[in-house]
Amino acid sequence: MNIATVPPAPLDSEPVTEPSKEQLLEISMGPQHPSTHGVFRMKVVLDGERVVRLKPVFGYLHRNHEKIAESVTYLGSMPYTDRLDYMCSITNNWGYALAVEKLAGIEVPERAEYLRVICGELTRLQNHACLIGFLMQDMGSTGTPLMYAFREREKILDLFESLTGARMMCNYMRFGGCRVDLPAGWLDRAKKVIADFPRFLDEYERLLVSNEILMDRTQEVGVLSRELAVSAGISGPMARASGVDYDIRKVDHYSIYDRFTFRVPLGSHGDVYDRFMVRLLEMRESVGILQQATRAIPAGPIVDPKMKIRGFRPKPGEAYGRIESPKGELGFYLISDGSPNPYRYRVRPPSLINLTVLEDLCLGRNVADIVAILGSVDIVLGEVDR
Amino acid sequence: MYGGTELVGEGILKGMAETARNFFGSFVSKDRLTTVQYPEERELQIEVARDFPFLVYDGADWQQGMRCVACQICEKECPPKCIFIEKSKDKKPDANGKPQFYPAVFDIDISVCMSCQICVEVCPFDAIKMDVDYSLSTDDRFGGLLLNKQRLSKSNDYYRKIHPTEAAEVDARLAGERARQEAKAKAAAEATLATAAVQPASGESR
């Protein structure tokens, strides 16, 4: 903690409340703070309890992901993508596989597409459930909502474990399909988990949606306007909470999402409460997609038979593959020069881009609101810092 | 913008009711008690579990029966580069009696390994597989986690025990290959015999 030596931010609207620089207090939230979801630091300049400036500091978890990817084979980057957003490794695999498939022109068999949709939507369920749990934890609802979310997540992770051999670092997708087929009885277990999930959602909604403490803490807090959301490139549930109708599953028609009927929930206020509600509603839509997909999954091969595991060298060229990950638009940009390693490998992380508007959301709010706002952005530092 | 709530304190009451329901519910339903008393009782690892790689050998002797032929594909493909192989200068007969190179040095640094299973997928000889042993803690942070050839070697019986389905597939495939090779060798031997038989006859006729 130190007294700020920088001049105060220009507040041209209300010169009366402009503080002198002696009154400002600069504090550092993080990098080790339980509410920052990892090693993330915010330099906050306060006037009393009010936020005057906020500067996010990234990079504490930087692991050189993009440069490492240039020195290993295309397949070798697949397990590294698990470690980007470690809450939802399967969607990360999917985004990378999609980019490489675009680059090399690989077709994916139908069964593999269904497997990808099923695993991807299960990932979305557990990510959103946990995010809401963390958000409640940050706002002081110690334990209960988070433990309920983790109880459900446990069931989904058990499914992932029996399919891929790992709970979080699944490493499941391969170029042109998936690594392993479903073990016996997996689909029935998944159907049961999916059928039970709405009960959990009902319970969650009953406890949280009309809770007055939650409403007091979140409504009209951290408002993100539609215009700012579009111009700052915000994607995912955060953009949709501000009323931007932009879901890559709908606009990009990737994979087989055209075959399923689902709606895209939109918010109208763009505050923390809307971000929370959009995720809650999205889980219901995901359950719908999962029910349709588990019913319609066909038999067949799970990987393109032309695809060989050793010696993969795509032709020179470039490709950008993007998917709707639970956090937003996850994109992978690849340039190939015909060698076994990518010439350039770039990740467009939704967490990082969504975090760029943090200052705009927090200005003029209290310190306690920063925690709620940050929680509603849904960041995972593995992805922010890469 | 938003409507107000009807009753002040309703949220707290709901929350307390939920707590009470779960508190008393734990006495009634025993399936809530999911904790495993770890060192005393242990859950079996599931079949597809993976943690660190090991080398499979056939038969009783790990040096004789080692399947690895030091082709170094896994070393090249390993994403965090935790495998170190030194190819032998000489050749030794493998399980089929065919002379093959063998790894003079085969080290895996499991403090670097990230259990991605790519070495298993790229191995054309079914020589490297994933283990399920998780009690690997050691007080030696360098040597204790750098596994050499001997510590990595585990028998095919062990592999059958930890991954029964997968091992059955591998065994069937290897047996098929061996049978094909034997048939080929037999055919080749018969062909040489036949030519040997033909040649003197042709010599006589000349």
Side-chain angles (χ1 to χ4, degrees):
Chain A
M1 254 189 232
N2 64 306
I3 303 294
T5 49
V6 284
L11 291 172
D12 36 34
S13 55
E14 283 177 280
V16 188
T17 59
E18 183 173 333
S20 69
K21 63 180 166 186
E22 283 79 27
Q23 288 174 316
L24 290 182
L25 185 68
E26 184 182 322
I27 62 163
S28 172
M29 280 182 84
Q32 281 92 22
H33 192 275
S35 74
T36 55
H37 297 229
V39 277
F40 172 62
R41 178 170 164 230
M42 290 170 280
K43 279 158 81 178
V44 192
V45 179
L46 297 174
D47 170 24
E49 181 80 357
R50 201 165 60 91
V51 178
V52 182
R53 244 166 302 155
L54 186 146
K55 188 168 171 278
V57 185
F58 313 119
Y60 291 96
L61 203 60
H62 180 60
R63 290 153 304 167
N64 221 351
H65 176 70
E66 293 177 3
K67 201 68 195 170
I68 287 174
E70 288 168 22
S71 66
V72 298
T73 56
Y74 281 88
L75 178 63
S77 290
M78 189 60 89
Y80 282 115
T81 61
D82 286 339
R83 280 126 179 110
L84 278 176
D85 174 359
Y86 40 77
M87 292 291 283
C88 17
S89 61
I90 285 187
T91 48
N92 297 342
N93 288 175
W94 195 356
Y96 179 53
L98 201 73
V100 175
E101 280 152 14
K102 260 192 184 172
L103 184 68
I106 305 165
E107 289 290 314
V108 182
E110 198 166 310
R111 185 176 173 82
E113 291 280 25
Y114 272 92
L115 288 178
R116 285 178 175 192
V117 168
I118 291 170
C119 291
E121 293 303 321
L122 282 173
T123 305
R124 196 182 312 279
L125 285 184
Q126 59 103 350
N127 179 74
H128 284 357
C130 288
L131 180 268
I132 293 173
F134 284 130
L135 179 63
M136 296 305 138
Q137 174 94 349
D138 289 348
M139 291 193 298
S141 171
T142 329
T144 310
L146 184 62
M147 286 304 123
Y148 280 19
F150 268 51
R151 187 188 61 200
E152 297 308 310
R153 176 172 181 254
E154 199 65 18
K155 294 174 191 165
I156 293 173
L157 290 192
D158 281 349
L159 286 177
F160 286 165
E161 190 186 15
S162 59
L163 176 61
T164 68
R167 298 160 63 76
M168 290 172 80
M169 303 296 131
C170 296
N171 187 14
Y172 183 53
M173 309 266 166
R174 287 293 175 263
F175 312 135
C178 299
R179 182 159 58 84
V180 283
D181 206 345
L182 300 180
W186 192 90
L187 208 57
D188 295 326
R189 279 169 58 205
K191 277 178 183 162
K192 193 172 174 302
V193 170
I194 296 159
D196 286 349
F197 206 81
R199 260 198 17 231
F200 156 72
L201 288 178
D202 291 341
E203 188 182 29
Y204 232 33
E205 277 184 11
R206 199 184 67 239
L207 281 173
L208 297 176
V209 168
S210 60
N211 184 301
E212 66 227 28
I213 306 170
L214 176 74
M215 284 155 88
D216 273 356
R217 287 292 307 273
T218 58
Q219 288 181 348
E220 285 161 59
V221 170
V223 177
L224 175 68
S225 69
R226 199 190 138 88
E227 291 70 38
L228 183 61
V230 172
S231 60
I234 308 299
S235 55
M238 202 170 157
R240 292 196 284 276
S242 297
V244 184
D245 187 3
Y246 188 68
D247 188 321
I248 297 166
R249 292 175 292 178
K250 288 278 189 195
V251 297
D252 233 25
H253 310 285
Y254 72 92
S255 189
I256 48 165
Y257 275 111
D258 281 345
R259 298 187 195 174
F260 308 117
T261 47
F262 64 100
R263 292 168 299 169
V264 179
L266 294 178
S268 50
H269 304 94
D271 54 8
V272 175
Y273 188 77
D274 272 13
R275 270 169 240 146
F276 153 75
M277 273 311 288
V278 160
R279 292 195 170 96
L280 211 52
L281 295 172
E282 248 178 45
M283 282 197 273
R284 295 222 181 254
E285 298 303 317
S286 286
V287 169
I289 296 175
L290 280 166
Q291 280 166 345
Q292 295 168 48
T294 45
R295 221 179 296 131
I297 183 166
I302 53 153
V303 75
D304 185 2
K306 289 200 292 289
M307 195 58 209
K308 50 183 197 299
I309 189 134
R310 288 185 295 268
F312 175 66
R313 284 160 185 263
K315 288 194 192 70
E318 54 183 297
Y320 179 68
R322 58 177 195 166
I323 61 157
E324 179 73 30
S325 94
K327 300 197 163 46
E329 174 183 343
L330 175 68
F332 285 85
Y333 176 62
L334 294 166
I335 301 181
S336 163
D337 57 356
S339 66
N341 313 335
Y343 175 76
R344 178 78 174 96
Y345 170 103
R346 155 90 190 147
V347 187
R348 187 237 187 251
S351 295
L352 172 66
I353 313 261
N354 290 354
L355 203 52
T356 52
V357 291
L358 189 64
E359 183 176 19
D360 301 84
L361 303 185
C362 291
L363 283 185
R365 305 299 317 183
N366 295 341
V367 178
D369 290 337
I370 301 176
V371 176
I373 292 167
L374 182 67
S376 73
V377 175
D378 191 7
I379 55 166
V380 161
L381 267 298
E383 188 176 72
V384 173
D385 296 337
R386 306 189 298 295
Chain B
M1 264 170 117
Y2 292 103
T5 45
E6 311 80 45
L7 175 67
V8 176
E10 193 192 334
I12 291 177
L13 288 179
K14 266 190 195 169
M16 295 314 287
E18 185 70 18
T19 310
R21 195 170 65 82
N22 278 294
F23 181 73
F24 292 110
S26 304
F27 289 100
V28 182
S29 67
K30 290 292 168 207
D31 61 322
R32 284 161 177 268
L33 306 171
T34 51
T35 310
V36 177
Q37 302 294 331
Y38 166 62
E40 286 82 28
E41 23 171 319
R42 294 176 189 211
E43 281 194 337
L44 280 178
Q45 284 275 51
I46 56 163
E47 219 188 303
V48 290
R50 57 185 151 100
D51 50 22
F52 296 114
F54 69 96
L55 295 172
V56 188
Y57 65 87
D58 294 309
D61 183 38
W62 66 271
Q63 274 170 311
Q64 286 264 299
M66 181 160 285
R67 285 182 188 169
C68 178
V69 299
C71 68
Q72 293 174 312
I73 291 175
C74 53
E75 190 186 21
K76 268 186 227 116
E77 295 281 340
C78 175
K81 305 272 180 273
C82 69
I83 305 179
F84 176 76
I85 303 174
E86 228 169 67
K87 204 173 186 169
S88 63
K89 298 274 186 293
D90 57 327
K91 287 187 177 183
K92 273 202 297 199
D94 68 352
N96 298 340
K98 198 175 156 197
Q100 294 276 19
F101 288 109
Y102 61 95
V105 179
F106 196 117
D107 290 340
I108 295 183
D109 188 349
I110 59 165
S111 63
V112 175
C113 176
M114 61 176 177
S115 315
C116 66
Q117 213 179 3
I118 282 180
C119 51
V120 177
E121 285 169 51
V122 297
C123 182
F125 301 96
D126 291 301
I128 191 164
K129 296 288 169 198
M130 289 314 256
D131 206 344
V132 294
D133 181 18
Y134 50 85
S135 47
L136 295 158
S137 52
T138 165
D139 55 359
D140 177 9
R141 60 192 276 214
F142 301 109
L145 295 172
L146 181 68
L147 303 186
N148 61 18
K149 202 165 65 167
Q150 186 173 3
R151 283 183 67 189
L152 284 170
S153 297
K154 290 187 179 160
S155 70
N156 198 18
D157 292 332
Y158 175 76
Y159 177 46
R160 281 184 200 131
K161 205 175 83 193
I162 58 172
H163 301 300
T165 331
E166 203 185 292
E169 271 170 37
V170 170
D171 282 349
R173 188 165 65 234
L174 288 181
E177 256 167 47
R178 203 167 300 146
R180 235 185 346 269
Q181 263 178 14
E182 270 166 18
K184 217 165 142 191
K186 211 171 153 192
E190 273 169 7
T192 47
L193 268 179
T195 46
V198 166
Q199 265 166 1
S202 62
E204 271 170 23
S205 70
R206 195 176 286 161

